[in-house]
Amino acid sequence: MAVALARTIEQRDPYTSGHQSRVARIAVALGRELGLPEEQLVGVDMGAQLHDIGKIGIPAELLTFPGKLNDLQFALIRQHPTIGHSIVKDIATPWPIAEIILQHHERLDGSGYPAGLIGDQICREARIVAVADVLEAITAHRPYRPALGLDAGLAELRRGRGRLYDAEVVDACLAVMRDLVEQARILDGS
């Protein structure tokens, strides 16, 4: 169900096709590295698959806009967590899906949105999805810029470690990516 909804959203935003599933794969890997139990990983996966569901309420021309957004356009885009939360908040699950969706753009220092939450006010699962979302967004192509690559994504996470992004989650991400890079090095002989 979550995957079908994610694909529906991605139909409106073809430039980020696969984004939610890639964020989910990264988030689950981070959760595993952090030692989360399998049942909690199911919730992380589902929340990550749906984290951008609120984009259904954003005009498609903004989602695919090829240039820099103006303040009004960006304010509209920033409504997607609140829209997504309103879509799923009444669906009963054993996981904090609605909170993950609402909080995935919050930052530890309060500079995020929509509520400017600080530190532990942001649920752990949302902090995991936030790191996965940032890494995937930086490493993937966007309509307004080419992919910046894994090194740029990891550099951003290191810069924001403990200030914007949960330090433990960033450390898990660095460990997971280091292992994946090492695995690739072994497999392709570089």
Side-chain angles (χ1 to χ4, degrees), residues 151-166:
D151 288 342
L154 295 177
E156 167 57 26
L157 293 174
R158 283 186 193 100
R159 269 192 301 281
R161 182 187 179 278
R163 182 177 54 85
L164 301 175
Y165 317 113
D166 183 292

Side-chain angles (χ1 to χ4, degrees), residues 46-110:
M46 190 173 295
Q49 290 284 355
L50 297 173
H51 77 277
D52 279 341
I53 193 171
K55 287 184 176 179
I56 196 85
I58 305 300
E61 53 274 7
L62 288 183
L63 298 176
T64 58
F65 192 74
K68 184 172 171 43
L69 298 173
N70 66 36
D71 290 343
L72 177 59
Q73 291 167 322
F74 191 60
L76 288 171
I77 293 280
R78 288 172 57 131
Q79 291 179 10
H80 80 272
T82 305
I83 295 167
H85 180 263
S86 71
I87 291 169
V88 303
K89 68 182 168 103
D90 295 325
I91 300 171
T93 74
W95 311 287
I97 305 301
E99 289 78 15
I100 293 169
I101 292 167
L102 183 64
Q103 298 174 5
H104 76 277
H105 281 292
E106 297 288 357
R107 299 296 179 249
L108 295 180
D109 66 357

Side-chain angles (χ1 to χ4, degrees), residues 177-189:
M177 291 301 123
R178 182 176 49 246
D179 290 346
L180 293 175
V181 168
E182 189 59 34
Q183 289 170 14
R185 214 174 273 138
I186 291 167
L187 292 174
D188 70 16

